Each structure stands twice: as C-alpha cells, then as structure tokens.
Amino acid sequence: MTYEETSAKQRTERFGMSHLSIEVGHLYADDLARPDTLKAEMASAAAWVHGTTEALSKRLGGRRPRVSTCYLVDDYSQQGMPPPEELIAVITEAAADAGLRIDYLARESACATMGPLQLAGLVADRIVFEPPPGANGSRPTVARSGWLCNGVPSPKAKGVAMVGQADQWRPPSQNAKRDHSVFLDVELWSDTAEGRRWSCPMLAAVWQLLRLGVLRNQGRRIGVPEAVAEVVPDEHGHDPDRPARARFPETWEAMPPILQLEPAAYPFPAYRTVSILSVNYLEVEHAVRVICGSVRPEASAIEIIRKSAEREGMVLPEELVDRLSYIFQGPL
C-alpha cells in the first residue's frame, strides 16, 4: 500500500477505486414481509445496473468499467431485524434470481459509529455553513442547533403586529436559486436521554461519502470492507453452538461495518455513485445533497482521488455532491 505525505506527521492513504458504485437497495425490516416486492425490486435494479454499466463503458471509450454494487441494511432505526444469516440469504437469493450480484453489504448503524470512531460526529464536524447575504445572525450555528439549511429561512416576526397592521412576513430564500426557491431545512440529529440520535439524512450522507472514498481519520482510510473469509474463516470451522449452516455472527452488532460478499469484486469506493432507490427516499436524498454539499473532507484526500481519476482520463466534478446520481423507482 502506498501513501502520500501531506505533512510531517500525517500521510494520506491511497487505495484502489472503482469507476462507479451502484447501490441496488436499502432494506427495512418490513420489506421482508413483501418477498414478491423485494424480488421485483431486484429485477428492476438488475436492468438498471446492466444499462448503467453499458453506458459507462461507452463513456470510457469501450473500456470495461470497474463497477461495484452495494446494499445497505437499516439496523440503526429498525427493531426486530432478522439475524444476519437469514437476512443475507434472503437478499442474495433475490439478487441471484434476478441475475444481479451484490458485492458489498453494509450496516447503517456503522455510519453512526464505526468501531471506536464516532463517524457521523466526524462528518458533522466537517460541515461548513457560510451564512448567505441576508442572514442576521439570529439562527444558532449548525454545531449548536443540529439543523442545516440551503439558504435563508423566514425571519421571525418582531413583537406582536398592531391591530389592522399586516404582518411583515418574508419568505425563505434558497442559495443559488433558479428564479424560484426550493428551501430545505434538515435536522441532522436530536439529543435524547439515551444520547445523540442521528437522522436518516445524516447517516445516508455519511454512506454516500464512504462510497466516494473521501472520508479519512488523520489521513487513514475509513470503511475498509471485510471479506466473508475474515468474518468466518473456512479453516476455523463453525461454532458448535450455532446452527449447522450458519456462517455469520448471530447479531448485527457483531457484523463488520461493510462486508465484502464477492471475493473478486471491484473496489468499494468509486469516483461516482448511483443509488437505485424507492421514490419514497426522494426527500431524504434531497436532504443528503444539502449535507454533502456542505461537508469539507481532508483536502489531500480529495486531491489524491482527483489525480487518480485524471490518470484514467476522467474529469470529476469539483463539488462532491455532483458525483452523486440517482434512479428513483415508483411502486412495482
């Protein structure tokens, strides 16, 4: 493994990148109660994966693109999730029936905490929000409030309007709007008696940044997948107390953050991402784009990826959010 020195004390890790990371699904526990729908979603995703890969090959001048696929399991907000052995079998069998290969499977809870690393907190600390013209300083900072917006919200009314006097209401305004505003205010977290609870958009933003390979902890890569053989090495056999066919730990907490299901898969991180999702996630991903557009990762990590892409004849958008693409599907 090679590194690039960015300071006397810190080096930024290099690693292989795919051209494209395709997310083929995001599973909630209640999806398992609809096996026919899950199969239909996999079949539809397979068609999009094949079409997207073919289109990318043409953009690369006929070269075979490096494309990896991934699947996200929501073990953060969902209760009663089946054990890994059962759930992985359901997902991989549905994918295989559709002619689709899933290279990586990730836990959403790992986007909050990955081992000893408070990952969502690390990303939140890298959010840079510059108040646009018109802001009056009355809104608390993102670090204090846990809210991030894409413009200037409506100002609070001052005092009580006199009888017969109209309230001087002003609408919110979006940054870089096109004629009209689409204003969005995103809740990143809430503080509860049990501790900080991260929102779905915040965790989904961490997930996208992991897939882009831009997150570092003091220069070191975050989110290195673990192969199945590393989780349950074949030569070690099985725990005699487990069912005979069980290969994986019994709880999701014991699973690696990112599991590499296919030994020959292309790298997990990629220059660009595509997410094939239900249309129900459209609002969440709008919020994700607001968050990702405000995160400033380590500059050395961004530069290494940019140069790597250029060596392959690819020019990446300057803004990270412009490297994210989506395919939203209606009810199947």
Side-chain angles (χ1 to χ4, degrees):
M1 184 176 293
T2 60
Y3 298 80
E4 175 170 303
E5 187 165 352
T6 58
S7 70
K9 297 182 179 180
Q10 179 175 305
R11 296 172 183 268
T12 301
E13 185 176 348
R14 294 177 181 268
F15 43 82
M17 301 278 290
S18 288
H19 293 112
L20 186 66
S21 164
I22 304 180
E23 180 181 3
V24 297
H26 186 143
L27 185 81
Y28 284 111
D30 54 6
D31 292 333
L32 297 176
R34 303 176 292 110
D36 291 341
T37 301
L38 180 61
K39 290 182 179 180
E41 289 175 348
M42 286 292 187
S44 180
W48 284 113
V49 168
H50 298 325
T52 302
T53 302
E54 183 178 352
L56 178 57
S57 177
K58 292 180 179 179
R59 289 180 59 185
L60 294 174
R63 287 183 291 156
R64 181 181 180 182
R66 299 188 303 276
V67 177
S68 62
T69 59
C70 56
Y71 202 96
L72 186 65
V73 174
D74 182 10
D75 66 329
Y76 184 78
S77 62
Q78 297 288 296
Q79 301 297 322
M81 188 70 73
E85 189 74 30
E86 177 183 341
L87 189 56
I88 292 174
V90 170
I91 294 171
T92 54
E93 287 174 11
D97 289 344
L100 179 64
R101 187 192 71 230
I102 297 179
D103 297 323
Y104 301 95
L105 184 138
R107 297 189 294 112
E108 187 166 346
S109 61
C111 295
T113 305
M114 189 173 288
L117 181 64
Q118 299 298 313
L119 183 52
L122 182 148
V123 173
D125 288 343
R126 287 196 165 271
I127 291 176
V128 177
F129 178 73
E130 299 179 0
N136 58 16
S138 62
R139 181 183 173 105
T141 63
V142 175
R144 284 180 53 204
S145 68
W147 286 81
L148 175 69
C149 64
N150 65 346
V152 181
S154 296
K156 292 183 178 180
K158 296 180 179 179
V160 180
M162 299 293 290
V163 177
Q165 183 179 11
D167 292 339
Q168 297 300 309
W169 178 81
R170 282 188 294 168
S173 177
Q174 176 191 0
N175 295 338
K177 64 182 179 182
R178 296 182 180 179
D179 294 331
H180 299 86
S181 288
V182 179
F183 180 79
L184 187 66
D185 218 342
V186 184
E187 186 175 18
L188 306 181
W189 69 77
S190 58
D191 289 320
T192 70
E194 291 75 29
R196 179 154 292 182
R197 190 73 179 168
W198 297 99
S199 70
C200 180
M202 183 64 197
L203 296 180
V206 175
W207 169 237
Q208 292 284 9
L209 295 171
L210 280 171
R211 293 169 63 200
L212 288 176
V214 298
L215 297 183
R216 301 289 193 281
N217 182 25
Q218 297 182 343
R220 294 189 298 273
R221 177 184 177 184
I222 297 174
V224 180
E226 294 185 36
V228 170
E230 295 174 358
V231 179
V232 184
D234 292 337
E235 63 271 19
H236 290 177
H238 298 301
D239 184 336
D241 294 330
R242 286 192 198 169
R245 295 179 62 251
R247 294 192 303 161
F248 300 107
E250 296 181 0
T251 65
W252 285 100
E253 291 80 3
M255 288 286 289
I258 305 171
L259 178 67
Q260 182 172 341
L261 294 170
E262 292 292 333
Y266 284 118
F268 171 74
Y271 297 130
R272 294 175 181 263
T273 72
V274 171
S275 298
I276 305 171
L277 301 169
S278 163
V279 71
N280 295 333
Y281 288 100
L282 195 151
E283 291 87 353
V284 170
E285 293 301 326
H286 182 189
V288 166
R289 295 180 68 83
V290 171
I291 298 169
C292 289
S294 300
V295 173
R296 299 293 179 266
E298 292 182 14
S300 55
I302 299 295
E303 184 65 9
I304 285 174
I305 292 173
R306 183 188 65 79
K307 289 183 177 179
S308 176
E310 285 185 350
R311 286 194 293 270
E312 298 195 55
M314 299 179 65
V315 178
L316 298 180
E318 289 293 330
E319 296 292 332
L320 289 178
V321 69
D322 293 331
R323 302 178 192 179
L324 311 178
S325 297
Y326 302 90
I327 297 169
F328 291 108
Q329 303 188 105
L332 298 175

